[in-house]
Amino acid sequence: MNQRDLERLSEYLDGRLSPDEAIHLEARLSSDSELAAALQALRETRALLRQLPRRRSPRNFSLTPQMVSRRPPLPRFYPVLRLATAFATFLFLLVFLVRQVPFPVPAAMPMAEAGPAAPALMAATLEEQPSPEPPHTPKALAQELQENLTPATPIPEEDYSSLRIAAEPLSNVPQEAPLSLLLARGQILFGLLALLGAATMLIVRYTTARKWRA
Amino acid sequence: MNESHLIASAQRGDLNAFNTLVLHYQDMVFNAALRILGEEEAAADASQEAFLSAFQALPSYRGGSFKAWLLRIVTNACYDELRRRKRRPTAPLEPQTDQGDDLETTRWLTDSALTPDQQLEAQELEHAIQHCLDALPTDFRLVVVLADIEGLDYLEIAHALRLPIGTIKSRLARARLRLRECLQDFWELLPSAFRLRNEKNA
């Protein structure tokens, strides 16, 4: 029995042969015991399969509105992207608001024009540290610097006076330029980052939805 | 409400109408998945996935046998599961030769590799048949499940599997022969009355 005979027998079993083909095959079956046995084997196999017990489904497969509205699974990095975009947007708005209001700069705030004098920079650093105490004068700062940093080796009087000289010009420095420039640049940077993040989120959502539908 | 009305309502987004169809067809869908996958839990998951896909694909349903359309979707869900298994194989489903070709015979099922417990389990008719179904190549198993267990005709199977009818006929014939060879090893375990009844029905 070849492959073609097998297919014919299977089709015959399913009643798919034309009347002429069926008559021809039945003539062969009556004279070919091997072919007849093969037909019987196929018939028994099909009957076994048809009589397999039907199982009841173990649970109800009804859909809930939540299941139906399910969205395509987004990539793992998506929440990070969303958070970063939200953070950039927040910073953009914050900088924007800060630029709208007059920004009082403390009198001793160091500027770029303050010069390279190291004691002045150190004094400014001390000034920037949050402290409940009232603002220090340059003299007080220098005094404090002396007490805190070099208690073991007192600074000579002439060094002390040079500190005061170097720090005094700070109160006369113009207050705007570098800070406002920095804020403007920050606003542009955060705005661009927020836009970039939002655009990436849209692209990720679109491509994921397309893949999901396919 | 008849089936076509329920389908039309479901196509308009009526979830209650669709769930009425789910209740009517869920046993059929689960049984098809069970015979293809051979595991109850995986079959239940595939069934759930199939109904969800069916609801989402309803707008593309253009009439014809709803049963065949559903079986096509559950077949796809089973294919996906089988592909996942292939990527994460736990045990070989089919024996292979040293050259990697599938063995033509399924007699390996009854050799000494089967433990006494497994043989005992296989004495039950259902287990024996499922055992032999599992041993079939996937393409053959899908055809024989849709034809001989779910009762689809050749045209519906060709539509469900997107294959030519000639391929369906060929695979069905070969699947039946392979099942017969496999079941031969369990034949003496089958109830004699069952065999007699089959012969009378023939």
Side-chain angles (χ1 to χ4, degrees), chain A residues 47-113:
Chain A
L48 271 175
L49 291 169
R50 285 182 172 181
Q51 298 200 17
L52 261 177
R54 304 292 288 182
R55 297 272 200 90
R56 287 188 64 84
S57 51
R59 59 178 193 254
N60 196 334
F61 298 123
S62 297
L63 302 182
T64 62
Q66 289 77 22
M67 292 161 78
V68 169
S69 66
R70 191 183 71 162
R71 293 195 173 135
L74 292 164
R76 282 184 183 177
F77 68 83
Y78 190 81
V80 178
L81 180 67
R82 189 171 51 196
L83 187 68
T85 306
F87 191 58
T89 309
F90 170 75
L91 288 177
F92 170 78
L93 291 174
L94 187 70
V95 174
F96 176 78
L97 287 174
V98 164
R99 291 189 70 203
Q100 300 310 302
V101 293
F103 191 70
V105 180
M109 190 75 173
M111 297 299 166
E113 293 83 354

Side-chain angles (χ1 to χ4, degrees), chain A residues 127 133-137:
Chain A
E127 176 65 27
E133 295 169 12
H136 301 285
T137 63

Side-chain angles (χ1 to χ4, degrees), chain A residues 141-181:
Chain A
L141 280 173
Q143 179 68 41
E144 193 177 325
L145 195 66
Q146 184 188 9
E147 287 171 358
N148 290 345
L149 299 180
T150 56
T153 54
I155 299 173
E157 183 56 34
E158 54 271 27
D159 290 343
Y160 183 85
S161 62
S162 72
L163 252 182
R164 183 167 49 232
I165 293 162
E168 269 171 355
L170 287 178
S171 55
N172 302 324
V173 166
Q175 295 175 5
E176 57 278 326
L179 185 63
S180 63
L181 189 66

Side-chain angles (χ1 to χ4, degrees), chain B:
Chain B
M1 198 182 282
N2 65 25
E3 184 174 286
S4 56
H5 282 111
L6 286 170
I7 294 169
S9 297
Q11 281 181 315
R12 290 192 295 272
D14 184 343
L15 193 57
N16 288 333
F18 184 76
N19 281 336
T20 307
L21 293 166
V22 171
L23 290 176
H24 186 258
Y25 283 108
Q26 64 182 5
D27 286 346
M28 176 205 74
V29 165
F30 172 71
N31 271 276
L34 178 66
R35 297 310 171 200
I36 293 169
L37 296 174
E39 288 175 20
E40 199 163 300
E41 194 53 41
D45 290 345
S47 303
Q48 186 69 78
E49 192 63 36
F51 280 120
L52 191 57
S53 300
F55 185 77
Q56 286 157 346
L58 260 182
S60 67
Y61 172 70
R62 296 277 180 269
S65 166
F66 190 67
K67 174 185 173 181
W69 185 77
L70 269 182
L71 284 172
R72 171 183 173 167
I73 292 174
V74 75
T75 302
N76 284 337
C78 291
Y79 249 132
D80 290 343
E81 169 61 20
L82 291 169
R83 268 196 290 268
R84 273 195 290 272
R85 284 186 192 175
K86 211 168 187 176
R87 284 199 296 269
R88 299 191 304 270
T90 50
L93 293 176
E94 295 160 24
Q96 294 189 327
T97 62
D98 292 342
Q99 288 75 36
D101 303 324
D102 289 348
L103 286 175
E104 281 300 312
T105 177
T106 52
R107 290 185 183 276
W108 63 279
L109 285 168
T110 54
D111 66 16
S112 56
L114 274 181
T115 65
D117 282 345
Q118 286 172 320
Q119 285 177 358
L120 201 64
E121 192 180 358
Q123 284 174 11
E124 296 177 47
L125 175 63
E126 185 184 357
H127 285 156
I129 295 172
Q130 186 64 54
H131 209 77
C132 292
L133 279 171
D134 291 345
L136 285 176
T138 305
D139 292 337
F140 287 19
R141 194 185 325 143
L142 291 174
V143 174
V144 84
V145 166
L146 293 182
D148 288 344
I149 297 179
E150 297 305 332
L152 297 193
D153 64 30
Y154 290 3
L155 197 62
E156 287 174 323
I157 301 170
H159 179 67
L161 300 181
R162 295 179 180 174
L163 290 169
I165 283 193
T167 307
I168 301 299
K169 288 177 184 173
S170 167
R171 286 184 182 175
L172 181 58
R174 291 167 71 187
R176 284 169 172 167
L177 183 68
R178 286 198 185 196
L179 280 173
R180 167 66 190 192
E181 286 175 356
C182 174
L183 286 167
Q184 191 68 39
D185 296 322
F186 297 99
W187 201 251
E188 60 187 24
L189 304 173
L190 302 178
S192 57
F194 183 84
R195 277 181 283 169
L196 288 172
R197 189 168 66 246
N198 291 339
E199 284 159 12
K200 279 180 193 168
N201 290 342

